[in-house]
Amino acid sequence: MQNVDVVVAGAGIWGCTVARCLAERGRRVLVLESRSAVGGNVRCESDPDTGIEVHVYGSHIFHTHLDDVWRFVRRFVEFNGYQHKVMARYRGKTYFLPLGLPLVNKFFGVELAPGELPAFMAEGTHRAQIFDAFFRGYTSKQWGRPPEEIDPTIIQRVPVRATYDVNYFNDYNQGIPLTGYNSLFDRMLDHPNIAVECNRAFDLAGHAASPLAGVPVFYSGPIDRLFGYRYGELPWRSLAFERETLDVADFQGTSVVNYTEAEVPYTRIHEFKHYHPEDADSMARAKTVIMREYPRAWKSGDEPYYPVNTPESQSLLERYRAEAAKVKGLTVGGRLGEYRYYDMDQSVGRALAAVESCGVIG
Ligand code: UDP
């Protein structure tokens, strides 16, 4: 690309959305991605043996109540009608999450009507028994600390309903791209005003010394890395995955089963073919790909997955934000840049808003 109006550093869902919107407003955009491919942690891989779309960084289900976001992503791909359900395995029995009538009735062997659930849960030890079975062990594994020590909004992500609705998300718009997640990113970046360079990490000093000095930057890598970790590293929670191809058509009958007991070392098993129920051949074929997910303490150099929200990490974040605010033409966003536990739709929504408010257009 001859002339560049904007640099987008990081090609996850936030960066790709920013790049596309700016390109459509006539800006010439150079996208720099430090990994060898675009898509961030939503990047998938087609399993060479089975052709099954494997979510390499763990399951990603697109779900949103934001109409502008839903309209935006569907310009690039069609979504299948997948509706996410999560099962929880506890002491050899399998329950429907979230916390609703199917789970409570099965767990206690009762037959509550919707209106009876709140009083039942308020009674005696019922709430504690449910919490201990389904949340204590899982949360301790996931976060490496007891649930009392984590930000309560994290557990509140799991809905509570006095109904038989076993949809894991409250959002009415949901699905998986029919042509796979990678096609979403490829199509977003397929624009004459966008050039993409992979295997190119961004750094501020290098930018300032390059011919692109002064060109506005939209950055979605880790904010502490942008400033050379000068105040220390922001803490993360990491994950490890163990993938297996099995010679059975169906291993667990659904895409995600959570293992909520503390004694089981992994938190969940993903079985990817269930994300594409429309692919009848794959569903029938006697092969499946599963992936066990193991939470890990994070150390420098590991893949960052979940920000760890503590007073210390927030004050560190504030220091880096203050540094970012001093850099002219710099917009920082995305999960890594904002150090926030965003769902995909929130990242797209934040990117759409960032483009409108950045001053690069209009
Ligand atoms: N959680 C739990 N048991 C479960 C599912 C979730 O204790 O079976 C808690 C856990 O602390 C987790 C949080 O709820 O980190 C949010 O769950 P969600 O399924 O949204 O996690 P994600 O898919 O984003 O990792």
Side-chain angles (χ1 to χ4, degrees):
M1 188 177 287
Q2 284 281 299
N3 295 302
V4 173
D5 300 315
V6 182
V7 169
V8 170
I13 199 160
W14 186 88
C16 289
T17 303
V18 167
R20 180 70 190 206
C21 292
L22 290 172
E24 287 179 354
R25 302 289 187 93
R27 302 300 177 271
R28 289 156 300 182
V29 184
L30 175 63
V31 177
L32 304 178
E33 167 54 51
S34 60
R35 286 183 180 166
S36 58
V38 300
N41 279 6
V42 193
R43 184 89 200 161
C44 289
E45 212 173 273
S46 175
D47 177 62
D49 187 16
T50 62
I52 291 170
E53 183 190 28
V54 173
H55 300 202
V56 186
Y57 300 94
S59 285
H60 283 80
I61 301 94
F62 202 94
H63 58 97
T64 190
H65 60 276
L66 304 169
D67 290 330
D68 57 338
V69 168
W70 190 230
R71 260 195 312 276
F72 179 77
V73 290
R74 283 182 309 147
R75 286 178 45 207
F76 307 103
V77 287
E78 198 182 330
F79 284 79
N80 67 9
Y82 177 82
Q83 299 278 305
H84 196 41
K85 315 266 187 304
V86 177
M87 309 305 296
R89 179 80 46 88
Y90 176 72
R91 295 202 176 155
K93 288 204 170 128
T94 307
Y95 301 83
F96 270 108
L97 283 172
L99 187 46
L101 284 176
L103 182 142
V104 173
N105 282 343
K106 180 166 179 177
F107 187 73
F108 290 105
V110 292
E111 200 56 40
L112 298 174
E116 294 169 328
L117 189 83
F120 182 84
M121 289 303 288
E123 203 179 287
T125 60
H126 293 155
R127 182 175 289 279
Q129 282 178 265
I130 290 279
F131 190 81
D132 287 349
F134 298 101
F135 294 91
R136 184 171 297 285
Y138 187 101
T139 297
S140 306
K141 290 190 285 187
Q142 173 71 12
W143 295 96
R145 58 185 72 190
E148 291 76 15
E149 288 178 25
I150 69 157
D151 175 353
T153 61
I154 290 175
I155 296 180
Q156 287 159 13
R157 286 169 56 87
V158 182
V160 179
R161 302 189 192 110
T163 68
Y164 283 105
D165 178 2
V166 289
N167 205 325
Y168 195 59
F169 303 120
N170 287 322
D171 298 326
Y172 45 88
N173 301 310
Q174 271 185 58
I176 306 285
L178 275 169
T179 43
Y181 276 106
N182 294 353
S183 65
L184 169 65
F185 297 107
D186 292 344
R187 291 174 196 177
M188 280 166 93
L189 297 176
D190 182 14
H191 189 284
N193 285 344
I194 299 179
V196 181
E197 290 184 21
C198 288
N199 300 307
R200 264 199 70 183
F202 175 84
D203 77 278
L204 269 179
H207 179 68
S210 78
L212 297 179
V215 169
V217 175
F218 287 76
Y219 174 86
S220 55
I223 190 169
D224 50 357
R225 187 170 77 196
L226 189 61
F227 297 102
Y229 307 103
R230 69 176 65 146
Y231 302 122
E233 286 181 296
L234 286 162
W236 294 87
R237 195 73 184 144
S238 198
L239 298 173
F241 296 102
E242 196 181 82
R243 202 195 295 187
E244 228 183 311
T245 302
L246 304 173
D247 291 324
V248 292
D250 195 349
F251 170 71
Q252 61 184 14
T254 191
S255 43
V256 177
V257 177
N258 289 358
Y259 286 76
T260 61
E261 287 158 65
E263 295 72 24
V264 178
Y266 41 87
T267 44
R268 48 191 169 187
I269 300 182
H270 311 259
E271 185 174 8
F272 298 108
K273 63 159 53 175
H274 291 285
Y275 287 125
H276 288 282
E278 76 282 359
D279 186 347
D281 290 345
S282 166
M283 293 306 285
R285 192 159 168 225
K287 285 231 180 232
T288 194
V289 179
I290 64 166
M291 200 163 83
R292 291 184 178 80
E293 179 173 326
Y294 297 84
R296 288 278 184 265
W298 175 88
K299 56 181 184 344
S300 188
D302 287 349
E303 203 65 69
Y305 280 89
Y306 298 94
V308 179
N309 192 0
T310 60
E312 296 75 37
S313 66
Q314 286 309 304
S315 74
L316 193 51
L317 176 63
E318 283 314 318
R319 296 182 78 181
Y320 284 118
R321 277 197 184 139
E323 289 298 328
K326 288 187 221 158
V327 182
K328 194 164 171 283
L330 174 69
T331 304
V332 178
R335 181 178 56 96
L336 301 174
E338 290 193 54
Y339 194 67
R340 289 284 295 273
Y341 190 167
Y342 284 139
D343 289 331
M344 287 185 280
D345 67 321
Q346 293 173 302
S347 283
V348 173
R350 303 277 302 169
L352 296 175
V355 169
E356 292 310 319
S357 63
C358 66
V360 171
I361 52 167

